[in-house]
Amino acid sequence: SSELTQDPAVSVALGQTVRITCQGDSLRSFFASWYQQKPGQAPVLVIYAENIRPSGIADRFSGSSSGNTASLTITGAQAEDEADYYCNSRSGSYVIFGGGTKLTVL
Amino acid sequence: EVQLVESGGDLVQPGGSLRLSCVGSGFIFASFEMNWVRQAAGKGLEWVAHISGRSKTIYYSDSVKGRFTISRDNAKRSAYLQMNDLRAEDTALYYCAKDLRGPFDHWGRGTLVVVSS
């Protein structure tokens, strides 16, 4: 199986824009999905198929992809966006998750 | 409203067995692939196993292959994870997740498995 690499921690000032990245060879063949997880809660899908938001997800969340890198962008970060963010994708018969990025909103 | 409810987590000794269950509602259970994902305390998400709607396709992570078995009973709207030969490193919160042919669009709240003597 392949790996997905994320920065362990990222910070953003309230109201500013932040990009969280995910790198891996599997992303050349498969879309990344992005999940938000707040302490004590289950993960929530926020972006899939590169840039589709499930119902109920704020439109400040967007996704993009280039080569082996997928990105989650939060435009105008809010205090409630402080959370862990995970990417995942398929890799052959496996499903792989990135190690997660802890987002701090300052 | 889609709901997934896991159960069956417990404290078990190393080498022991446990069977987790996940009951789904609010969607046509048989039409969707299901997965188990675990998360050790303070750690990231780790995919464990996948099963297709009719159980024809089953995949496991290398860390559990040969010890865990995923199954489902569509009539009971349930997915299961039979865990044998449990090890300390299997200690985690186990989530079941509905698969949208790629993304996991709904997750349960998890059931806690602790492997310790």
Side-chain angles (χ1 to χ4, degrees):
Chain A
S1 62
S2 182
E3 290 184 352
L4 294 176
T5 301
Q6 298 182 241
D7 291 330
V10 171
S11 62
V12 61
L14 184 68
Q16 296 304 300
T17 297
V18 62
R19 176 175 291 183
I20 299 170
T21 61
C22 173
Q23 284 190 302
D25 287 341
S26 65
L27 299 180
R28 297 185 186 277
S29 305
F30 299 95
F31 285 128
S33 300
W34 290 94
Y35 305 86
Q36 177 193 68
Q37 186 180 34
K38 296 181 180 180
Q41 297 184 20
V44 172
L45 178 68
V46 294
I47 290 288
Y48 69 99
E50 188 170 323
N51 192 23
I52 298 178
R53 278 179 289 105
S55 173
I57 301 302
D59 60 5
R60 61 180 178 274
F61 290 89
S62 63
S64 62
S65 180
S66 178
N68 72 336
T69 302
S71 300
L72 172 71
T73 299
I74 307 174
T75 303
Q78 301 300 302
E80 61 263 33
D81 299 334
E82 186 162 290
D84 294 326
Y85 290 85
Y86 295 91
C87 60
N88 89 329
S89 82
R90 305 287 187 186
S91 178
S93 60
Y94 297 94
V95 173
I96 49 176
F97 282 92
T101 297
K102 182 176 183 60
L103 176 66
T104 299
V105 180
L106 303 172
Chain B
E1 179 193 5
V2 172
Q3 285 196 328
L4 296 169
V5 180
E6 303 94 336
S7 62
D10 204 348
L11 170 62
V12 61
Q13 292 189 342
S17 297
L18 211 53
R19 188 194 196 208
L20 306 184
S21 299
C22 168
V23 179
S25 61
F27 64 103
I28 302 173
F29 188 82
S31 295
F32 291 90
E33 301 166 342
M34 298 295 295
N35 294 266
W36 288 94
V37 178
R38 68 185 181 184
Q39 186 171 36
K43 302 296 184 181
L45 300 172
E46 180 189 10
W47 170 74
V48 172
H50 164 101
I51 186 167
S52 62
R54 295 187 177 185
S55 305
K56 291 188 180 299
T57 303
I58 289 175
Y59 301 127
Y60 299 99
S61 68
D62 290 343
S63 61
V64 306
K65 198 174 297 182
R67 299 187 299 123
F68 290 12
T69 301
I70 189 171
S71 62
R72 65 191 295 160
D73 184 337
N74 289 336
K76 295 182 178 179
R77 309 178 62 83
S78 295
Y80 307 100
L81 188 68
Q82 176 67 43
M83 304 186 296
N84 298 331
D85 188 23
L86 283 161
R87 306 166 180 170
E89 55 265 34
D90 296 318
T91 294
L93 187 63
Y94 283 73
Y95 295 102
C96 72
K98 174 175 166 283
D99 194 327
L100 200 58
R101 295 197 179 274
F104 296 172
D105 66 334
H106 288 88
W107 300 60
R109 300 181 72 171
T111 186
L112 183 62
V113 173
V114 177
V115 183
S116 175
S117 54

